[in-house]
Amino acid sequence: MTGKLSFDDLKSRVADGSIDTVLACFVDMQGRLTGKRFHAVNFVETSFKETHCCNYLLATDLEMATPDGYASTSWESGYGDYIMAPDLSTIRLTPWLEGTAMVLCDVLDHHTHAPVPHDPRAMLKKQIARLKKLGFDAMMATELEFFLFEKSFEEIRKGNFQDLTPISGYNEDYHILQTTKEEHVMRPIRNHLFAAGLPIENTKGEAEAGQEELNIRYAAALDCADNHSIAKHAIKEIAWQQGHAASFLPKWHKDRVGSSSHVHQSLWKDGQPMFFDKKADLGKSELMDHYMAGLIAHAPDYTFFLAPYVNSYKRFAKGTFAPTKTVWSVDNRTAGFRLCGADSKGVRVECRIGGSDLNPYLAQAAMLAAGIKGIEDKMELAAPTTGDVYADAKAADIPQTLRAATETLRNSAFLREAFGDDVVTHYVRNAEWEQEEFDRTVTDWEIARGFERA
């Protein structure tokens, strides 16, 4: 596919002057691209080996505050360095930025050069390696939903984030006429991302005014997370270039549908789909049963990685296509988990719990850990739920607040086994701080608009 570059390709383009800037990026806890802009000559001569960053970058909040309470970094320890090690297999063009290429980095300990265990990319790699030992590869796809607004980020900020107006005036789900009016934003998003080497499938209007969706073809789990993070970043930059703000806030208005990030997943071996068994009911294999049973049983434990902020939980509302129950159903969008592609090689499970604010590395790592646990313990899958799952009083609830999700994370034995105590404790502190900040700063205006204290 066009857009991906080898290191030799990059050096050639730097030599002929077509690339003068290299973005060296890693993904922080919030799922944002963080890093440096290198003069391309310096990068290909020296910095392709490694560069450095402050270790607080994996211990900040959305506002880049440096909370206390983290064991990995603190004022007491002096905020030292991490190594950013470019993964040269991820070099690609960034066609929406003139003369620019991008590379993703792994985050290493400055002294030992070992992966930093709470680095989101390292966490996903660890679960991929565990799955590989069982003989399987994970294939995943994420859906990116977001809102476009009439005004730019700068105009909205100067207006104190009030009186936001979506780019369209009505529900535009699959609406061709309305999305034609938005092609000055959405067409460059599709084309620039495709030219950057992402396997873009399509964009469409979603089920609210100004709501969009980008779909990227399924890929190996790490590639899926890389694609998601790059796409999310690019959407914001391209929308800004066109004078609009793109928001991935899961619930920007109490009366409007929220934005999700559904995650489709299946396991493969030697190029064959291991979730498919043509002789079995619905075409799903016993392996798929075990995997799904683990996903569902442990969903409360990892909900924080699907819904990491106070606002995330405002999305879970009856009749909005956002789930409220941790059960599965067949091709039913009211359930937390949906079986898609029944009786075909494309049979897979879609987790519908995650919001548009999730970090794809953390979400995928947690779900893989749950699925692996289900396989290892040979967990039995309950029968599917039918009908309107919102009305199913017997079905288990998704944690309804950040506080509740934080407690299930804190007490999760399976996640501590999968990630390590230090990693879980790190993200518990992240969750605690988000709640503390909300409690300190929430205003009467926000409370009146549905951001009530959890």
Side-chain angles (χ1 to χ4, degrees):
M1 181 177 292
T2 58
K4 294 293 287 289
L5 301 175
S6 69
F7 187 49
D8 286 339
D9 292 334
L10 177 63
K11 288 190 287 186
S12 296
R13 295 192 184 218
V14 173
D16 68 21
S18 59
I19 290 178
D20 57 55
T21 300
V22 176
L23 299 176
C25 308
F26 70 92
V27 176
D28 68 6
M29 293 197 300
Q30 291 75 27
R32 301 171 296 191
L33 296 187
T34 305
K36 302 177 180 180
R37 279 180 156 82
F38 279 94
H39 192 288
V41 172
N42 180 278
F43 182 84
V44 299
E45 289 182 351
T46 303
S47 299
F48 73 92
K49 297 176 182 177
E50 65 177 49
T51 185
H52 296 80
C53 66
C54 181
N55 63 18
Y56 74 57
L57 291 171
L58 287 178
T60 67
D61 64 10
L62 280 169
E63 298 292 329
M64 298 303 291
T66 53
D68 59 11
Y70 286 106
S72 63
T73 184
S74 66
W75 292 108
E76 289 76 15
S77 64
Y79 287 114
D81 275 352
Y82 283 147
I83 290 172
M84 294 169 55
D87 178 349
L88 299 183
S89 71
T90 68
I91 301 172
R92 67 186 68 241
L93 299 172
T94 52
W96 62 96
L97 299 174
E98 183 180 359
T100 302
M102 174 191 293
V103 64
L104 297 179
C105 300
D106 293 309
V107 184
L108 309 181
D109 183 274
H110 179 67
H111 303 287
T112 67
H113 283 216
V116 172
H118 54 272
D119 167 32
R121 206 164 188 257
M123 290 169 65
L124 178 55
K125 282 185 170 184
K126 181 177 180 179
Q127 300 312 306
I128 291 170
R130 289 182 66 206
L131 190 64
K132 193 72 174 177
K133 286 185 177 180
L134 297 176
F136 305 112
D137 298 306
M139 303 297 288
M140 294 193 170
T142 56
E143 305 171 27
L144 287 83
E145 295 181 5
F146 57 97
F147 279 86
L148 288 178
F149 293 96
E150 284 185 351
K151 295 180 180 179
S152 68
F153 284 123
E154 289 77 11
E155 291 172 310
I156 290 171
R157 176 174 49 80
K158 290 175 182 178
N160 200 29
F161 300 95
Q162 299 186 43
D163 300 322
L164 277 71
T165 304
I167 198 171
S168 66
Y170 48 79
N171 182 323
E172 58 183 270
D173 202 17
Y174 292 90
H175 203 294
I176 295 299
L177 175 58
Q178 178 55 43
T179 52
T180 295
K181 302 173 188 177
E182 297 152 5
E183 276 288 83
H184 65 292
V185 180
M186 301 309 296
R187 183 170 180 257
I189 285 173
R190 292 192 306 272
N191 290 338
H192 284 323
L193 287 173
F194 186 83
L198 276 65
I200 300 302
E201 289 186 343
N202 59 67
T203 58
K204 59 178 282 292
E206 251 299 331
E208 185 52 89
Q211 192 177 31
E212 318 288 344
E213 180 178 305
L214 172 73
N215 290 300
I216 305 173
R217 191 183 310 159
Y218 73 90
L222 186 63
D223 291 336
C224 173
D226 288 347
N227 291 342
H228 181 115
S229 296
I230 293 167
K232 189 172 180 178
H233 181 85
I235 287 167
K236 293 178 181 180
E237 289 191 335
I238 294 168
W240 168 78
Q241 289 171 343
Q242 298 300 321
H244 299 285
S247 174
F248 288 82
L249 191 69
K251 191 75 168 178
W252 79 270
H253 192 287
K254 67 184 181 65
D255 297 326
R256 296 180 184 263
V257 170
S259 292
S260 68
S261 182
H262 303 147
V263 182
H264 297 252
Q265 49 204 293
S266 60
L267 301 186
W268 291 59
K269 184 176 183 178
D270 299 328
Q272 296 299 313
M274 301 306 293
F275 276 5
F276 178 58
D277 181 350
K278 64 181 179 181
K279 297 179 181 179
D281 183 42
L282 300 173
K284 63 178 177 59
S285 66
E286 185 178 40
L287 178 73
M288 185 175 184
D289 285 352
H290 295 326
Y291 185 94
M292 286 180 61
L295 272 187
I296 294 167
H298 295 296
D301 298 52
Y302 62 79
T303 295
F304 168 74
F305 292 119
L306 302 176
Y309 307 104
V310 172
N311 178 263
S312 308
Y313 296 84
K314 308 308 174 186
R315 179 179 146 264
F316 299 140
K318 180 180 178 180
T320 65
F321 292 100
T324 59
K325 307 286 186 177
T326 57
V327 294
W328 76 281
S329 193
V330 180
D331 197 19
N332 182 334
R333 285 179 167 84
T334 68
F337 297 88
R338 180 170 72 120
L339 186 139
C340 304
D343 297 308
S344 76
K345 291 184 178 180
V347 67
R348 62 196 183 279
V349 59
E350 174 196 42
C351 176
R352 298 179 59 81
I353 298 172
S356 52
D357 54 347
L358 62 72
N359 180 324
Y361 300 89
L362 299 179
Q364 290 177 218
M367 286 188 284
L368 283 179
I372 290 169
K373 186 67 172 173
I375 293 170
E376 290 177 339
D377 292 351
K378 298 188 183 302
M379 296 179 67
E380 293 187 9
L381 181 65
T385 300
T386 58
D388 182 357
V389 177
Y390 292 120
D392 187 347
K394 297 180 180 179
D397 288 329
I398 295 166
Q400 295 298 298
T401 65
L402 178 58
R403 280 194 177 93
T406 302
E407 286 309 301
T408 58
L409 175 63
R410 187 195 315 277
N411 297 318
S412 176
F414 111 86
L415 282 177
R416 289 183 180 277
E417 179 183 1
F419 293 147
D421 284 333
D422 290 347
V423 172
V424 172
T425 299
H426 185 90
Y427 282 95
V428 166
R429 180 58 191 142
N430 177 224
E432 290 173 339
W433 178 260
E434 291 298 333
Q435 186 69 60
E436 291 167 11
E437 278 290 89
F438 179 84
D439 290 342
R440 277 191 290 269
T441 61
V442 67
T443 65
D444 291 341
W445 181 88
E446 290 164 325
I447 292 172
R449 284 155 180 79
F451 290 78
E452 70 276 3
R453 295 183 188 277

